[in-house]
Structures are given as C-alpha cells and as structure tokens.
Amino acid sequence: MIDKLGGVIKTNLLSKRFNKESLHNHHDNHHIMKKMGCGYSKLLSKQHKSSTKPFDEDAMRDRHVSTESKENPSSQGHQDVSKTSNHFTIPSIDDLPLNKDSCITMHDLYNLLNDGAMKMYIHDPFNLLLIDGRELDLYSTQHVITAKHHSIFGSDSNFVLRLSNYGMVIIYGSELQVNKSSTDSLLKLRAEVQEYVASDVLVLVEGFDQFHLNYPFLCTDKLIETVADRKELLCYPSMVLDSKLFQGRGDQATNENIIDVLKITHIVNITLEHQNAFPKKVKYFRLELDDVGESNLFEHFHKTSDFINEALSTKIGRVLVHCNMGVSRSSTITLAYLMKYKQWSLDLAFKTLKSRRSCAAPNDGFLQQLSKWEIEMLGQKLTDIDSLF
C-alpha cells in the first residue's frame, strides 16, 4: 500500500517474518518474488534532473530531513518513516514516459538479482525474467546475465507460453526518454509481454549502458541457458547505501573476487565460523559472537558504527558487514549504524534495509537491543518491534 505524504512516497514492504522452512519451497519463493516485485516497482517521485553519475539516494534523504527539521524543530533527531521511501531514488526525468510504479533503477536491479533469501534469484530460472529490448548485435556483444533477447517471442512459441510462470519480468534497452524511438519500442515490448503475464513488468530507467558502467560483472556475452549454468554465477552482497555499504554472507566475505570487484576496503565480521580472510588488503573489525539473543551486540554498537562511519567518510571507503548467512547478526550491526549516523528510527532503518535485503531479520534478542539503542540514540522509543514483521 502506498501513501503520499509531504510529496514523498512511502512503500510498505514485507510486513511479515519469512517462514525459513517455506523458503526451501519453490512455490513460496515464487510468492516472495511477487511481493518483492511490487515493492521494487514503487519508488520515489520526481527529484532533480537525471545525471550520468550514480545517484546518492541517502544524501537526498538527508537533505529532506534537514529541510523538515528547519520547518518543524520537534522533528529533529529522527525522521518520520511515513515520509520517506525505502528504495533507491529514481533518477528524475521530466515527464517520465512511464508510470514510476512500472520502473526499476539499476541499483535495485543489482539487489534483486542477488536477493532471494535461501535461493538467489540469479540462480533460479523460474522467478525472474530479464528481456533485452536492444538490437541483436548489441545483445550478442554484452547483456545482463541470464537475459533473453526479445526476438525469442517470434522464434519460440513455448517460451511465450511459459511467461505466466514468472514472478517478475524486467525489460531493458536504452535509457528511458520522452519522444525517443528506442523508448517507444521498449514500451511497445512491455505492452506485448503484459498480455501474457499477471506479474509486474518493469522497465529499467537508466538503460543497459549505465547498468553496464556500474555493474560490468553482472553482464556477459554468454548465453545462460541451464540451471547448471546459473549455479556457476557468483552471487554478490546486498547494497545498503549507494555503492558504499554492503551486507552479505560469510562465504561472500571470504571470496577474493567479490572483495576486489566491489572494492571493499573495510569488513565487519560478526562470526565464529569465518576468519578475517584478507588482512593485508582489508581493515577488519571482528566480533566473535553467536547468533543467539543472549549475545551482547549492544555493547559494541558505538564501536562498530564508528568503524563503518570512518570508512564511509573517505572517498574510496567501502564496507561489507557480514555474519554467516547475512540475516541476523549483520543486520543488527547495519541497523545500529543507520540509527546512529543517519539518526533514523529503528522502524525506518529496518524498512530500508529490508527493501534492499529481503532476508534481513535480527533475532528477537537483537531486536530488544536495537530498541534500547533507539532510546539511547533518539531519546525516546519510536518503534514497536512487534510491528516490524
């Protein structure tokens, strides 16, 4: 459900805790994809003109907080979650030629490809479908991994019949622009696909070239046809803040290729299982604590938040926060940072993180510690933790 308040759109995302056992079931995974699809398609309204540079959604949100605080001094110290979106801001284009609910940004596409809780969508051939709307020679040169060329509609009737199986379809081509033939072709393709599916059909706003510029490691010239091919694809940590703060699993934190590609400079390691794998090239903060509610993460919140903030304050700083599965301990540390340095309520921090990493779920004991942290950071309890899931 979307409410429009103060000119900013709020998205109410996943409202219930995932049933971890049901995530092993393909039908339930399909259902989750449809819920995420709705969430990913509902993004912010117009801001300033589009830029070729990656946009900083969090800076935009901070400016909104600053303006609101000046107009309403009582709002200082925290931000009302009802007045903000949890997704990366759509780069504004005057008179965007498509309803924003039908668009997806390149940053959200990155997160979506690497999301999926127990089974990453990038590995699952039955949920997410990417369709390349460009010319065949461009597709053959480079395309988003797992994408199919739009010409398949005319050459494979069985493919058309399978369209209804997908939880989400994403079409991309050139950047969306008004009165441009390439955009008109994408919109026509989208209309054709919509005739066969009941799921969301989204269009990538920035287009393939910008996606490739930011995420070349998620593009290829190879055809990914089989399940075995997909299982060979590398899955990356979730992006929490624009190309700066990431959250993921232990196996990702110990994969040198991932660390190099994302240019990670600092890692917060909250595990018993995983050693600091690259101490010569990465600065570490290690907490050897188990994922049980009795583990005292609260006493480390200041130090971990300061460690993250110091790293992100530099031009080249990029931080990965991880535990074993990237669900509970790492989420708790990420939330504590957002609450301290963004001055967000637990509710806002949680909804933002959840929209970018759907499996994020601090255990009950950690939620109690975060509730206590909220009071310490903001001077009052603003969030009912029982309402977070």
Side-chain angles (χ1 to χ4, degrees), residues 225-240:
E225 298 284 3
T226 67
V227 173
D229 290 338
R230 285 178 175 262
K231 288 182 178 179
E232 295 298 318
L233 298 174
L234 203 56
C235 179
Y236 293 85
S238 303
M239 182 191 298
V240 181

Side-chain angles (χ1 to χ4, degrees), residues 12-17 35 350 354 386-389:
N12 182 11
L13 270 173
L14 308 175
S15 60
K16 296 183 179 179
R17 186 188 300 267
K35 291 174 75 175
F350 180 81
K354 196 76 168 173
D386 291 330
S387 69
L388 291 178
F389 291 99

Side-chain angles (χ1 to χ4, degrees), residues 146-182:
T146 77
K148 297 184 180 298
H149 190 255
H150 68 89
S151 61
I152 194 171
F153 283 98
S155 60
D156 187 346
S157 58
N158 290 327
F159 173 77
V160 175
L161 295 176
R162 293 196 302 270
L163 278 175
S164 61
N165 294 330
Y166 292 98
M168 181 189 294
V169 179
I170 296 175
I171 298 171
Y172 68 85
S174 299
E175 177 186 3
L176 290 183
Q177 296 183 30
V178 179
N179 298 325
K180 190 171 181 180
S181 59
S182 59

Side-chain angles (χ1 to χ4, degrees), residues 22-82:
S22 70
L23 288 172
H24 293 282
N25 184 291
H26 164 69
H27 175 77
D28 290 314
N29 222 21
H30 178 83
H31 176 62
I32 291 167
M33 167 63 98
K34 291 180 75 66
K35 291 174 75 175
M36 279 198 66
C38 182
Y40 270 83
S41 65
K42 299 192 171 34
L43 302 160
L44 281 182
S45 57
K46 266 186 243 179
Q47 303 286 342
H48 298 85
K49 276 198 170 183
S50 174
S51 168
T52 57
K53 297 180 180 179
F55 48 86
D56 188 346
E57 174 266 352
D58 302 284
M60 288 184 175
R61 185 177 301 178
D62 290 341
R63 288 197 292 272
H64 174 72
V65 176
S66 176
T67 302
E68 183 183 58
S69 297
K70 290 177 181 178
E71 295 174 351
N72 179 15
S74 65
S75 70
Q76 292 183 354
H78 72 277
Q79 185 180 3
D80 183 355
V81 70
S82 68

Side-chain angles (χ1 to χ4, degrees), residues 79-94:
Q79 185 180 3
D80 183 355
V81 70
S82 68
K83 295 185 179 181
T84 184
S85 167
N86 305 315
H87 295 284
F88 291 103
T89 310
I90 282 191
S92 249
I93 302 172
D94 291 337

